[in-house]
Amino acid sequence: MDPVSQLASAGTFRALKEPLAFLRALELLFAIFAFATCGGYSGGLRLSVDCVNKTESNLSIDIAFAYPFRLHQVTFEVPTCEGKERQKLALVGDFSSSAEFFVTVAVFAFLYSLAATVVYIFFQNKYRENNRGPLIDFVVTVVFSFLWLVGSSAWAKGLSDVKVATDPNEVLLLMSACKQPANKCMAVHSPVMSSLNTSVVFGFLNFILWAGNIWFVFKETGWHSSSQRYLPDPMEKHSSSYNQGGYNQDNYGSSGGYSQQASAGPTSEEFGQQPSGPTSFTNQI
């Protein structure tokens, strides 16, 4: 039997059934989707400029761009419709800061989730030996929750700006030839942004996962156990008051029963002495 099968048969991966490890595994998977859909993006748009002089026209102007979206470095040439002269232009904007921050958070979240999942599965006893491991895990989880919220929000705003900067109608406004009514400028196709939209969705899903996992990590710390130690148990208090009431009722019941038994009739010893009267009377006769 190979080592992986031995570990599985021994129940080593049973920790994945617990919420703490299961959420870490989901965080690992969602982090991969987040930085893959954003960091691996490349797209483009196509424009056409139809000049009055058809020999000067260019009906297929391709403009390609990709992560990290430094659009001001994306250059392209377009006809001016004034002879053979061509105009060199560049897209507008630099959105690399929000995109790179988002991908950086996703990569480090993936690495930490991978390391934490390995610890949960193979070193769970050492993880719970003292309070240091859970405390570090708790602090890191809170920090990554905040980073996911900030990174996803910043990238969502950056993505909206990228869409505006790469809108074909906005790019056409940069061309001098398109400002002349005699020339016909049009967009052949727009860039496809579906994967970038997906990256924003995965970013906020990662925030929800990390924020939800805060509670399960907090339960592993000494802070949770110490707070539970000093909290009064309402069931125990109710049970104590009930026992006190029951004790008083038992005492009352036992004393009342004893009085009733004493007043109901003679005891067995007295009952046994009753025949002595008639017996002595018969003897006298």
Side-chain angles (χ1 to χ4, degrees):
M1 185 180 294
D2 58 296
V4 176
S5 301
Q6 291 178 356
L7 290 173
S9 61
T12 307
F13 292 95
R14 192 177 302 169
L16 289 174
K17 296 181 180 180
E18 299 179 2
L20 185 64
F22 180 72
L23 288 178
R24 278 284 183 258
L26 286 181
E27 290 166 0
L28 186 151
L29 187 63
F30 278 46
I32 295 175
F33 292 150
F35 70 72
T37 52
C38 179
Y41 177 82
S42 62
L45 63 152
R46 178 175 294 177
L47 308 173
S48 69
V49 178
D50 189 9
C51 302
V52 176
N53 186 358
K54 301 299 182 181
T55 59
E56 300 173 356
S57 302
N58 189 345
L59 303 181
S60 180
I61 304 173
D62 292 320
I63 305 173
F65 60 95
Y67 173 86
F69 307 104
R70 295 187 177 94
L71 300 183
H72 66 287
Q73 297 179 356
V74 178
T75 59
F76 55 97
E77 291 184 352
V78 297
T80 60
C81 296
E82 297 176 355
K84 297 296 183 179
E85 184 181 356
R86 300 182 69 82
Q87 181 183 15
K88 188 175 183 179
L89 298 174
L91 296 178
V92 179
D94 182 6
F95 311 102
S96 60
S97 58
S98 59
E100 289 177 340
F101 180 75
F102 179 81
V103 172
T104 301
V105 172
V107 170
F108 279 101
F110 162 75
L111 294 176
Y112 181 79
S113 299
L114 179 61
T117 304
V118 171
V119 171
Y120 295 158
I121 295 176
F122 299 103
F123 306 101
Q124 191 174 34
N125 294 332
K126 292 185 178 180
Y127 173 79
R128 292 174 173 171
E129 273 183 2
N130 51 51
N131 201 32
R132 181 179 300 177
L135 281 181
I136 295 175
D137 197 15
F138 175 75
V139 173
V140 173
T141 303
V142 172
V143 171
F144 268 110
S145 300
F146 176 74
L147 291 177
W148 272 118
L149 177 61
V150 174
S152 300
S153 301
W155 172 230
K157 176 62 171 62
L159 177 57
S160 65
D161 294 337
V162 169
K163 290 180 178 179
V164 172
T166 57
D167 185 1
N169 294 324
E170 294 292 329
V171 178
L172 289 175
L173 296 177
L174 301 175
M175 304 179 185
S176 60
C178 298
K179 297 178 182 179
Q180 301 175 10
N183 302 322
K184 296 180 181 180
C185 300
M186 61 182 300
V188 178
H189 70 75
S190 302
V192 179
M193 299 285 189
S194 57
S195 63
L196 296 181
N197 294 330
T198 306
S199 68
V200 175
V201 173
F202 277 117
F204 284 106
L205 285 177
N206 273 287
F207 164 69
I208 294 174
L209 281 176
W210 284 82
N213 205 15
I214 291 176
W215 167 246
F216 296 103
V217 179
F218 176 73
K219 289 174 65 176
E220 300 292 332
T221 64
W223 297 337
H224 178 263
S225 58
S226 61
S227 62
Q228 290 292 106
R229 187 183 307 168
Y230 294 105
L231 284 176
D233 190 353
M235 295 300 296
E236 183 178 354
K237 183 177 180 181
H238 178 73
S239 176
S240 176
S241 61
Y242 178 79
N243 290 335
Q244 290 179 1
Y247 176 75
N248 295 332
Q249 290 177 2
D250 291 342
N251 290 342
Y252 176 78
S254 60
S255 62
Y258 178 76
S259 300
Q260 290 176 2
Q261 183 179 2
S263 60
T267 62
S268 59
E269 294 179 357
E270 294 176 352
F271 184 79
Q273 292 175 0
Q274 284 179 2
S276 62
T279 304
S280 61
F281 179 75
T282 305
N283 292 335
Q284 290 177 5
I285 296 175

